[in-house]
Amino acid sequence: MTNSYINSSTHHLGSIVGQARGEIDTVYSDAEVSGKGQSVGGFVGSTDSSHGVTMTNCWFDGSVTSTNRVVGGLLGNDSGGAEISNCLNTATVTCQSGNATPIVGGLVGQSVEKTKIIDDKMNGFLHTVLS
């Protein structure tokens, strides 16, 4: 997916899928993802709490911005035990969380379960803005 713009106030926002389970393999996304809800990610907003997601050979380029607390370059919030391997994030990740403590990551914003990160790279920028 290239040259896309996604803007929403809903929870679980990503350029490929909002809430995921299953497999995402060999995907490229160049998008601007901008969210006001919880769990915003470049590819996936969040994982389903009872099922994990496997992301392999993925590349996200563009930008991810959240005005809420949880934002990640590839995955916003992992509550299902994700496995991310051989993925790259070259995007800018920005959290404008106001007075709330930001939870920001270049690859994964927040890991509630045992997220496995294998041979992944982040070559972008992280920004946090507190009011």
Side-chain angles (χ1 to χ4, degrees), residues 19-131:
Q19 189 172 46
R21 61 176 151 175
E23 295 184 24
I24 299 172
D25 190 4
T26 314
V27 177
Y28 170 78
S29 177
D30 175 10
E32 291 181 40
V33 180
S34 178
K36 295 177 183 162
Q38 292 182 5
S39 304
V40 178
F43 272 117
V44 177
S46 67
T47 58
D48 184 286
S49 62
S50 60
H51 299 88
V53 66
T54 301
M55 296 171 57
T56 309
N57 303 316
C58 297
W59 178 13
F60 182 72
D61 187 27
S63 65
V64 185
T65 303
S66 175
T67 56
N68 208 308
R69 296 172 6 117
V70 181
V71 60
L74 298 175
L75 171 60
N77 181 38
D78 178 26
S79 57
E83 182 174 308
I84 304 170
S85 63
N86 199 34
C87 292
L88 173 66
N89 175 31
T90 55
T92 299
V93 180
T94 304
C95 183
Q96 301 168 334
S97 63
N99 292 326
T101 302
I103 301 171
V104 183
L107 298 174
V108 178
Q110 180 178 35
S111 175
V112 178
E113 284 296 321
K114 298 176 182 175
T115 306
K116 293 181 185 177
I117 298 176
I118 304 163
D119 197 28
D120 298 298
K121 296 172 180 66
M122 197 293 192
N123 191 22
F125 299 96
L126 295 176
H127 299 279
T128 303
V129 180
L130 299 173
S131 306

